[in-house]
Amino acid sequence: MTLESGATRLRPWRDGDVPFLMRLRNDVPLQAQLLARARGSDEAQVRRWLHDRTALPGRLFLVIADATTDAPLGFVQVSDLDPLDRRGELGIGLVTEAQGCGHGGRALSLLLLHLRATRGLRKMSLRVRSDNERAIRCYERAGFVRCGLLRSHVHIEGAWRDVALMECLLEASD
């Protein structure tokens, strides 16, 4: 499955993406923004991470790529895809040089439309550091609204950080 809009492409990961994804998984500042901790992932660990996100039920993982060059820019993932409640939990990560260029917003739009059309998803939720204002603005432009706050929820970069909860209804409740 490949989805495309403007300069942004969503596609399955390939072997050639592993070095890029390994770099991304080991980027300490980026991982801190993603509410994660870089743990020194080697190629085998990245492949296990990819397997867990693509082979296990209830998950979806796609590479965000430049539509012209097909070079990877990041990823988008959905976990806890629940066919009964028709909801999922979103995660997205872009390398620093791809942020602020519209790739995140286009990737979100593509993904949400695809999941609504193919899986009947009606709601997507996510967690984001409350001080990650750029990401929050991107999510709000994509239709997400803040619905909660987990105060002092994670200890990252030597400090306790608040985590904002956001959700997006993809269709009217039925």
Side-chain angles (χ1 to χ4, degrees):
M1 164 189 59
T2 299
L3 307 169
E4 199 165 307
S5 174
T8 306
R9 176 178 295 149
L10 295 182
R11 60 167 174 77
W13 71 275
R14 303 178 187 136
D15 280 340
D17 298 326
V18 171
F20 166 82
L21 293 168
M22 192 165 55
R23 188 184 96 209
L24 190 136
R25 296 272 299 161
N26 290 307
D27 182 331
V28 174
L30 178 63
Q31 291 300 310
Q33 283 297 99
L34 299 176
L35 299 172
R37 292 168 188 89
R39 293 186 174 94
S41 296
D42 62 20
E43 182 177 340
Q45 290 166 318
V46 169
R47 287 184 182 279
R48 277 193 300 278
W49 174 72
L50 289 166
H51 177 268
D52 288 349
R53 272 138 192 84
T54 55
L56 298 177
R59 294 191 172 193
L60 175 67
F61 180 94
L62 296 168
V63 167
I64 301 171
D66 181 282
T68 303
T69 65
D70 203 37
L73 304 170
F75 67 89
V76 64
Q77 63 182 351
V78 181
S79 58
D80 300 324
L81 276 166
D82 186 319
L84 183 61
D85 292 329
R86 297 176 23 221
R87 62 176 165 73
E89 179 85 13
L90 176 74
I92 184 171
L94 283 171
V95 292
T96 305
E97 56 270 22
Q99 295 175 12
C101 303
H103 292 291
R106 285 188 295 272
L108 290 175
S109 295
L110 284 167
L111 181 69
L112 296 176
L113 287 170
H114 171 75
L115 290 173
R116 181 177 175 194
T118 63
R119 299 196 187 198
L121 242 60
R122 57 174 290 283
K123 182 178 180 178
M124 187 69 69
S125 60
L126 62 86
R127 296 170 183 236
V128 60
R129 275 180 48 172
S130 65
D131 62 350
N132 191 344
E133 295 173 10
R134 178 185 263 178
I136 290 170
R137 281 192 307 273
C138 178
Y139 298 139
E140 289 173 339
R141 284 191 302 270
F144 284 82
V145 296
R146 296 178 203 216
C147 60
L149 181 70
L150 301 171
R151 299 188 51 81
S152 297
H153 192 66
V154 294
H155 192 266
I156 294 179
E157 297 178 318
W160 289 101
R161 308 289 180 169
D162 293 347
V163 174
L165 305 175
M166 300 184 78
E167 65 184 2
C168 178
L169 293 175
L170 305 179
E171 65 182 25
S173 296
D174 49 354

